[in-house]
Amino acid sequence: MLELRAITAGYDRKAPAVRAASLTVARGESVGLLGPSGCGKSTLARVAALLHRPAAGTLTLDGTRVRRWRHRAPKEQRTAVGVVFQQPRLSADPRLTLTDLIAEPLRANGRPPHIDNLVDAVGLTPDLLARRPHEVSDGQLQRACLARALSLRPRWLICDEMTAMLDASTTAALVRAVEGYRCATGAGLLAVGHDRVLLERWCDRTVHWSEVTEQP
Ligand SMILES: Nc1ncnc2c1ncn2[C@@H]1O[C@H](COP(=O)(O)OP(=O)(O)OP(=O)(O)O)[C@@H](O)[C@H]1O
């Protein structure tokens, strides 16, 4: 279970972007989180991905409360959650080839950098792997970012507007790749977005921001 309880978080203590938000994702479940632009979805997603320390509230992963965030989080908790963001160009190191980008979490965790299955799973062709981010399309780079997010076989996947800037066929391919991974591993998914049709088709259930948080 991934449980966010009464999370308050943001960038200004006096005016938090997220107020008392609560949301639970069961193992193997996919939950879509819908809400208008700027409401705080990404901030809550970053709390769930252990990237943003909340000012108040608790995050519990598989029964263990998270007490430290970012690089201070224990490796076991950090690697239990994979995350894909909306803009791959902001999250991908421009100096790395796609091969190194995908393999970086494996190397950083002392695992063999075997990426063939990941590359297949996200539908990247081998000729792209030696290229750097500026030499591939947004869709190709997002496929690499998804492969990277799956590389440590996380039990939880957070997709924050993963397909917002992509065309329909790339969106469908990425959703298929996520679902293939979840089917094989039983991982839970929190998919954040504002495309109701996509999230309702993709996820077991969809919740609206107004249902998870206290309105200011
Ligand atoms: N790094 C930051 N510093 C200061 N304020 C920020 C920062 N990131 C986001 N905010 C503000 O926090 C609020 C919530 O932003 P957030 O990105 O979580 O919303 P969102 O619901 O994901 O929006 P969108 O759907 O447009 O991505 C917004 O008012 C935003 O301007």
Side-chain angles (χ1 to χ4, degrees), residues 10-11 17-18 35-44 86 160-161 192-194:
Y11 313 90
V18 175
S37 181
C39 68
K41 304 180 298 297
S42 293
T43 305
L44 187 64
Q86 175 176 357
D160 184 4
E161 306 255 21
V192 171
H194 50 242

Side-chain angles (χ1 to χ4, degrees), residues 128-140:
L128 298 170
L129 296 177
R131 298 195 196 171
R132 292 188 163 73
H134 71 277
E135 297 167 322
V136 298
S137 71
D138 286 340
Q140 290 161 344

Side-chain angles (χ1 to χ4, degrees), residues 69-150:
W69 268 259
R70 298 176 67 87
H71 59 279
R72 293 192 190 86
K75 189 156 91 174
E76 200 281 321
Q77 288 185 330
R78 234 186 313 127
T79 56
V81 186
V83 59
V84 188
F85 298 105
Q86 175 176 357
Q87 293 181 332
R89 292 194 194 279
L90 295 183
S91 51
D93 185 335
R95 297 164 301 181
L96 298 182
T97 63
L98 296 202
T99 294
D100 290 336
L101 188 82
I102 296 168
E104 199 265 337
L106 292 166
R107 289 212 173 88
N109 284 278
R111 311 234 190 122
H114 298 154
I115 62 163
D116 292 358
N117 291 343
L118 291 164
V119 167
D120 274 354
V122 300
L124 275 176
T125 51
D127 57 302
L128 298 170
L129 296 177
R131 298 195 196 171
R132 292 188 163 73
H134 71 277
E135 297 167 322
V136 298
S137 71
D138 286 340
Q140 290 161 344
L141 187 56
Q142 194 64 304
R143 287 175 196 256
C145 289
L146 176 59
R148 175 190 166 93
L150 301 180

